[in-house]
């Protein structure tokens, strides 16, 4: 599972619970301090053996691996072109994979 904009790893830990030790989760975030804190949280939570947290720019991210699922929470609203980024990231999702995002519709809230 790929968690983009993982921040401190809240969704990453949920994903870790879903896949369990036989699965793999990769969380990415562009803030180095947040990435290090998230790594420490994974150790404390006990899922570090099957969870990796990496520093990466979401809009430029690519992986040699494909994932069963792509997830993110409160990340799309911060991207300059969320649609283009999602299209790029879909190349990292296996055919038939799951794509789930939880983001507010700020345009609806502001109208």
């Amino acid at each position: 599972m790929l968690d983009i904009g993982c921040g401190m790893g809240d969704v990453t830990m949920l994903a870790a619970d879903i896949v369990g030790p036989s699965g793999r989760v990769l969380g990415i975030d562009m803030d180095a301090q947040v990435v290090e804190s998230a790594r420490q949280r994974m150790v404390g939570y006990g899922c570090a053996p099957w969870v990796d947290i990496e520093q990466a720019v979401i809009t430029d991210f690519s992986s040699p691996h494909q994932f069963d699922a792509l997830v993110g929470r409160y990340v799309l609203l911060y991207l300059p072109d969320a649609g283009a980024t999602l299209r790029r990231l879909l190349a990292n999702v296996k055919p038939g994979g799951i794509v789930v995002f939880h983001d507010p519709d700020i345009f609806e809230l502001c109208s």
Side-chain angles (χ1 to χ4, degrees):
M1 191 174 302
L2 174 60
D3 178 14
I4 67 160
C6 69
M8 292 292 292
D10 293 338
V11 173
T12 311
M13 288 189 291
L14 292 171
D17 286 343
I18 291 169
V19 304
S22 63
R24 302 289 304 158
V25 179
L26 173 60
I28 61 167
D29 200 280
M30 55 189 238
D31 186 309
Q33 287 181 311
V34 168
V35 164
E36 187 53 39
S37 294
R39 286 177 181 153
Q40 294 306 313
R41 285 187 79 201
M42 298 308 122
V43 170
Y45 193 66
C47 62
W50 65 93
V51 175
D52 292 313
I53 307 290
E54 295 180 7
Q55 183 180 3
V57 176
I58 294 167
T59 54
D60 298 333
F61 178 79
S62 66
S63 173
H65 308 289
Q66 286 199 308
F67 299 88
D68 294 317
L70 168 64
V71 299
R73 182 178 67 160
Y74 299 135
V75 64
L76 298 178
L77 68 156
Y78 297 107
L79 299 175
D81 188 344
T85 300
L86 282 174
R87 283 188 291 279
R88 275 183 41 80
L89 291 170
L90 286 175
N92 296 294
V93 180
K94 293 178 182 176
I98 297 168
V99 178
V100 178
F101 283 85
H102 178 225
D103 273 87
D105 184 350
I106 61 168
F107 299 109
E108 182 67 30
L109 295 173
C110 296
S111 342

